[in-house]
Amino acid sequence: MHPAHGFDRPHGVWPPDPVTAVTALHLDLVDEVAPGLVEGLYLHGSLVFGEWHDGISDVDFAALSSRRPTEPELGRLRDAHAALSEQVPGLAFDGFYATWNDLAVPPAEVPDVPCTLAGTWHDEGRVSVNPVTWHEIAHQGISVRGPQSDDLAIWTDQKALRAFTHDNLVHYWGENVPKLAQFPQEAATPDAVAWFVLGTSRLHHLLARDELTTKDGAGRYAREAFGERWAYLADEALTARATGALTKDYDSASLGLRVRSVSTA
């Protein structure tokens, strides 16, 4: 089954204007400090499935080249991303710089690469270097610069995608969900409700249906899969993601425990 089955981008102009603007600015800044380095720029994440919330959604990118950046270029790329954050505050532009050849092999075989997350630059890191990203680019990736993703040689492996998803669910989420009981007030914030409910549901969806989905898609799936008992919490997570707020005031300790419960459903 196609791993992105059932998703169509909205009719009309896509991606949205804020995405077009930030990617154009990114390329202008990078081309100025490292001419010829970025030969391809591809978008992935919920955006490529047609999901976008102004002021809340981030932009996930993969910048591709035939070579690794030199050490002087790394410093200039860091400065370019700092300038990008200053000129487009409030919009996270997260991603990595890799080679075309990197996309053709399993992500585990790719070395640490230059990357940025939430405005923090890393000369070496693994931000989004994983099977989910490779599959999203292969099947739904948006080309800002370079050939269409259908024309790229990209490694995909559904069994490896499932194994990575299961490992993520067991280790990252398995280690973090229990902490919700220790910090019930933090667990009841809109950000935490959206992050935990939609994050775990997104992985559950892939393992149950063998398909990638978006954060909003994960919320709709949770309403269906986890039953009426948790439907209101899935709705709250979707509202929190779209608006940054919950629909009403809750007892923080009670809501925090409920978020923990649905995250382990």
Side-chain angles (χ1 to χ4, degrees), residues 19-29 41 144:
V19 179
T20 301
V22 75
T23 54
L25 177 59
H26 166 253
L27 288 174
D28 286 345
L29 291 169
L41 182 65
V144 179

PDB file of all heavy atoms in Angstrom, residues 19-29 41 144:
ATOM      1  N   VAL A  19       5.447  29.601   3.379  1.00  0.00           N
ATOM      2  CA  VAL A  19       6.441  28.574   3.052  1.00  0.00           C
ATOM      3  C   VAL A  19       7.238  28.994   1.822  1.00  0.00           C
ATOM      4  O   VAL A  19       8.470  28.879   1.787  1.00  0.00           O
ATOM      5  CB  VAL A  19       5.758  27.220   2.814  1.00  0.00           C
ATOM      6  CG1 VAL A  19       6.785  26.157   2.456  1.00  0.00           C
ATOM      7  CG2 VAL A  19       4.961  26.809   4.045  1.00  0.00           C
ATOM      8  N   THR A  20       6.539  29.484   0.811  1.00  0.00           N
ATOM      9  CA  THR A  20       7.225  29.958  -0.393  1.00  0.00           C
ATOM     10  C   THR A  20       8.201  31.075  -0.055  1.00  0.00           C
ATOM     11  O   THR A  20       9.335  31.114  -0.566  1.00  0.00           O
ATOM     12  CB  THR A  20       6.193  30.459  -1.417  1.00  0.00           C
ATOM     13  OG1 THR A  20       5.305  29.389  -1.749  1.00  0.00           O
ATOM     14  CG2 THR A  20       6.875  30.950  -2.681  1.00  0.00           C
ATOM     15  N   ALA A  21       7.793  31.970   0.830  1.00  0.00           N
ATOM     16  CA  ALA A  21       8.646  33.106   1.195  1.00  0.00           C
ATOM     17  C   ALA A  21       9.879  32.664   1.964  1.00  0.00           C
ATOM     18  O   ALA A  21      10.994  33.126   1.687  1.00  0.00           O
ATOM     19  CB  ALA A  21       7.839  34.107   2.026  1.00  0.00           C
ATOM     20  N   VAL A  22       9.719  31.766   2.932  1.00  0.00           N
ATOM     21  CA  VAL A  22      10.867  31.370   3.744  1.00  0.00           C
ATOM     22  C   VAL A  22      11.840  30.518   2.939  1.00  0.00           C
ATOM     23  O   VAL A  22      13.066  30.614   3.124  1.00  0.00           O
ATOM     24  CB  VAL A  22      10.417  30.651   5.033  1.00  0.00           C
ATOM     25  CG1 VAL A  22       9.943  29.231   4.754  1.00  0.00           C
ATOM     26  CG2 VAL A  22      11.550  30.636   6.063  1.00  0.00           C
ATOM     27  N   THR A  23      11.342  29.681   2.039  1.00  0.00           N
ATOM     28  CA  THR A  23      12.263  28.880   1.229  1.00  0.00           C
ATOM     29  C   THR A  23      13.024  29.756   0.237  1.00  0.00           C
ATOM     30  O   THR A  23      14.221  29.528  -0.008  1.00  0.00           O
ATOM     31  CB  THR A  23      11.523  27.754   0.481  1.00  0.00           C
ATOM     32  OG1 THR A  23      10.438  28.307  -0.273  1.00  0.00           O
ATOM     33  CG2 THR A  23      10.976  26.724   1.460  1.00  0.00           C
ATOM     34  N   ALA A  24      12.378  30.757  -0.322  1.00  0.00           N
ATOM     35  CA  ALA A  24      13.058  31.668  -1.239  1.00  0.00           C
ATOM     36  C   ALA A  24      14.147  32.450  -0.505  1.00  0.00           C
ATOM     37  O   ALA A  24      15.262  32.621  -1.021  1.00  0.00           O
ATOM     38  CB  ALA A  24      12.056  32.628  -1.881  1.00  0.00           C
ATOM     39  N   LEU A  25      13.824  32.918   0.699  1.00  0.00           N
ATOM     40  CA  LEU A  25      14.804  33.649   1.492  1.00  0.00           C
ATOM     41  C   LEU A  25      15.967  32.741   1.875  1.00  0.00           C
ATOM     42  O   LEU A  25      17.135  33.144   1.811  1.00  0.00           O
ATOM     43  CB  LEU A  25      14.142  34.221   2.745  1.00  0.00           C
ATOM     44  CG  LEU A  25      15.070  34.964   3.718  1.00  0.00           C
ATOM     45  CD1 LEU A  25      15.751  36.147   3.012  1.00  0.00           C
ATOM     46  CD2 LEU A  25      14.278  35.450   4.936  1.00  0.00           C
ATOM     47  N   HIS A  26      15.661  31.524   2.252  1.00  0.00           N
ATOM     48  CA  HIS A  26      16.712  30.567   2.609  1.00  0.00           C
ATOM     49  C   HIS A  26      17.676  30.372   1.444  1.00  0.00           C
ATOM     50  O   HIS A  26      18.906  30.420   1.616  1.00  0.00           O
ATOM     51  CB  HIS A  26      16.078  29.234   3.006  1.00  0.00           C
ATOM     52  CG  HIS A  26      17.046  28.096   3.066  1.00  0.00           C
ATOM     53  ND1 HIS A  26      17.078  27.100   2.115  1.00  0.00           N
ATOM     54  CD2 HIS A  26      18.029  27.799   3.952  1.00  0.00           C
ATOM     55  CE1 HIS A  26      18.031  26.233   2.409  1.00  0.00           C
ATOM     56  NE2 HIS A  26      18.624  26.633   3.515  1.00  0.00           N
ATOM     57  N   LEU A  27      17.149  30.150   0.256  1.00  0.00           N
ATOM     58  CA  LEU A  27      18.013  29.931  -0.903  1.00  0.00           C
ATOM     59  C   LEU A  27      18.820  31.177  -1.235  1.00  0.00           C
ATOM     60  O   LEU A  27      20.008  31.087  -1.594  1.00  0.00           O
ATOM     61  CB  LEU A  27      17.185  29.488  -2.102  1.00  0.00           C
ATOM     62  CG  LEU A  27      16.636  28.055  -2.025  1.00  0.00           C
ATOM     63  CD1 LEU A  27      15.703  27.777  -3.200  1.00  0.00           C
ATOM     64  CD2 LEU A  27      17.774  27.032  -1.992  1.00  0.00           C
ATOM     65  N   ASP A  28      18.218  32.353  -1.103  1.00  0.00           N
ATOM     66  CA  ASP A  28      18.961  33.593  -1.354  1.00  0.00           C
ATOM     67  C   ASP A  28      20.142  33.719  -0.391  1.00  0.00           C
ATOM     68  O   ASP A  28      21.269  34.038  -0.799  1.00  0.00           O
ATOM     69  CB  ASP A  28      18.046  34.810  -1.197  1.00  0.00           C
ATOM     70  CG  ASP A  28      17.077  34.983  -2.356  1.00  0.00           C
ATOM     71  OD1 ASP A  28      17.298  34.345  -3.420  1.00  0.00           O
ATOM     72  OD2 ASP A  28      16.105  35.740  -2.195  1.00  0.00           O
ATOM     73  N   LEU A  29      19.894  33.456   0.884  1.00  0.00           N
ATOM     74  CA  LEU A  29      20.941  33.593   1.896  1.00  0.00           C
ATOM     75  C   LEU A  29      22.052  32.560   1.696  1.00  0.00           C
ATOM     76  O   LEU A  29      23.240  32.885   1.772  1.00  0.00           O
ATOM     77  CB  LEU A  29      20.335  33.446   3.296  1.00  0.00           C
ATOM     78  CG  LEU A  29      19.411  34.571   3.756  1.00  0.00           C
ATOM     79  CD1 LEU A  29      18.668  34.166   5.022  1.00  0.00           C
ATOM     80  CD2 LEU A  29      20.212  35.855   3.995  1.00  0.00           C
ATOM     81  N   LEU A  41      16.471  21.408  -3.040  1.00  0.00           N
ATOM     82  CA  LEU A  41      15.809  21.729  -1.775  1.00  0.00           C
ATOM     83  C   LEU A  41      14.435  21.081  -1.792  1.00  0.00           C
ATOM     84  O   LEU A  41      13.617  21.380  -2.674  1.00  0.00           O
ATOM     85  CB  LEU A  41      15.682  23.236  -1.572  1.00  0.00           C
ATOM     86  CG  LEU A  41      15.047  23.665  -0.245  1.00  0.00           C
ATOM     87  CD1 LEU A  41      15.934  23.270   0.938  1.00  0.00           C
ATOM     88  CD2 LEU A  41      14.784  25.174  -0.219  1.00  0.00           C
ATOM     89  N   VAL A 144      11.494  22.358  -4.201  1.00  0.00           N
ATOM     90  CA  VAL A 144      11.632  23.806  -4.330  1.00  0.00           C
ATOM     91  C   VAL A 144      12.726  24.123  -5.339  1.00  0.00           C
ATOM     92  O   VAL A 144      12.635  25.065  -6.115  1.00  0.00           O
ATOM     93  CB  VAL A 144      11.968  24.449  -2.968  1.00  0.00           C
ATOM     94  CG1 VAL A 144      12.138  25.962  -3.104  1.00  0.00           C
ATOM     95  CG2 VAL A 144      10.886  24.128  -1.949  1.00  0.00           C
TER      96      VAL A 144
END
